[in-house]
Every structure is written in structure tokens, then in C-alpha cells.
């Protein structure tokens, strides 16, 4: 997964230029900040060697990035359907994070 992240990271930089031309600098910066934070958080967290625990930990960070990006949409987006989708993402991902944390608390990584 760490190998694929740099490859994917190059794609948004192309979209960034297009978004800035359209007057969406704040949203573009917000989306990039959310992705950068996720990458830092995922890389910084120690891996336990327990595949299940590591998966839950990484997915919680991934879901938080989805929440952060959805909040950018709510701040900058105008389309009612996308704003509803963003709110749904927030609601669903918060539940997913809570479920993952509950699982991790019941299953120590040892």
C-alpha cells in the first residue's frame, strides 16, 4: 500500500491546476491537506505485526481522511446532491471509526 500512495499522489496535482483555474483553491488545498494528513498519520503509526489490528488502525485513519474531505465539500461545495453525500460520508465514516476502535479495544494487538 505504501508503494501505491506516491503513484496516486501525482494524479491530484494535475487536478489541482484545473481546480485553481475554476476558483476552487480553498477546496483543492483542503483536499490535499486531508490526503497529506492521512499519509502522515498512516506512516507514523507503529505497525504491530498483527494484520487484523494494523488493518483496523489504518482504516480508521483512512476513514478520518474521508471525513476531512467531506467537511471540505460542505465548506466549499454548492451542489445539493454532493453536499448530502458529504454529510452521509461523515455520518457513516464516524460510525466505522467507532466500530474499528471498539474492535481494537476488545482485541489487543499483542
Amino acid at each position: 500500500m505504501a508503494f501505491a500512495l506516491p503513484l496516486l499522489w501525482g494524479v491530484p496535482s494535475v487536478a489541482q491546476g484545473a481546480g485553481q483555474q475554476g476558483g476552487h483553491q480553498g477546496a483543492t488545498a483542503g483536499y490535499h491537506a486531508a490526503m497529506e494528513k492521512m499519509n502522515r498519520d498512516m506512516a507514523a503509526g507503529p505497525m504491530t505485526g498483527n494484520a487484523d489490528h494494523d488493518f483496523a488502525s489504518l482504516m480508521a485513519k483512512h476513514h478520518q481522511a474521508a471525513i476531512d474531505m467531506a467537511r471540505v465539500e460542505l465548506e466549499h461545495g454548492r451542489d445539493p446532491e454532493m453536499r448530502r453525500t458529504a454529510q452521509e460520508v461523515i455520518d457513516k465514516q464516524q460510525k466505522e471509526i467507532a466500530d474499528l476502535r471498539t474492535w481494537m479495544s476488545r482485541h489487543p494487538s499483542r
Side-chain angles (χ1 to χ4, degrees), residues 9 11-13 15-16 27-37 69:
W9 191 240
V11 175
S13 65
Q16 181 178 9
T28 299
Y31 295 135
H32 279 278
M35 290 186 288
E36 289 171 0
K37 180 181 181 302
M69 286 188 276

Side-chain angles (χ1 to χ4, degrees), residues 79-98:
D79 183 81
E81 183 179 356
M82 283 296 97
R83 292 177 55 78
R84 276 191 304 277
T85 298
Q87 188 59 57
E88 290 172 6
V89 165
I90 291 169
D91 297 342
K92 290 176 183 176
Q93 300 305 307
Q94 285 176 334
K95 182 184 180 323
E96 289 286 331
I97 291 170

Side-chain angles (χ1 to χ4, degrees), residues 5 36-47 57-58 61:
L5 290 175
E36 289 171 0
K37 180 181 181 302
M38 177 188 72
N39 288 337
R40 279 191 314 273
D41 290 350
M42 290 176 94
M47 297 302 245
S57 176
L58 291 169
K61 294 167 186 171

Side-chain angles (χ1 to χ4, degrees), residues 1-72:
M1 178 143 99
F3 177 73
L5 290 175
L7 295 175
L8 294 173
W9 191 240
V11 175
S13 65
V14 173
Q16 181 178 9
Q20 289 177 348
Q21 291 172 2
H24 301 290
Q25 291 176 347
T28 299
Y31 295 135
H32 279 278
M35 290 186 288
E36 289 171 0
K37 180 181 181 302
M38 177 188 72
N39 288 337
R40 279 191 314 273
D41 290 350
M42 290 176 94
M47 297 302 245
T48 67
N50 177 318
D52 299 322
H53 200 276
D54 291 343
F55 172 75
S57 176
L58 291 169
M59 287 307 296
K61 294 167 186 171
H62 176 73
H63 290 320
Q64 183 60 54
I67 291 169
D68 296 343
M69 286 188 276
R71 288 182 176 146
V72 172

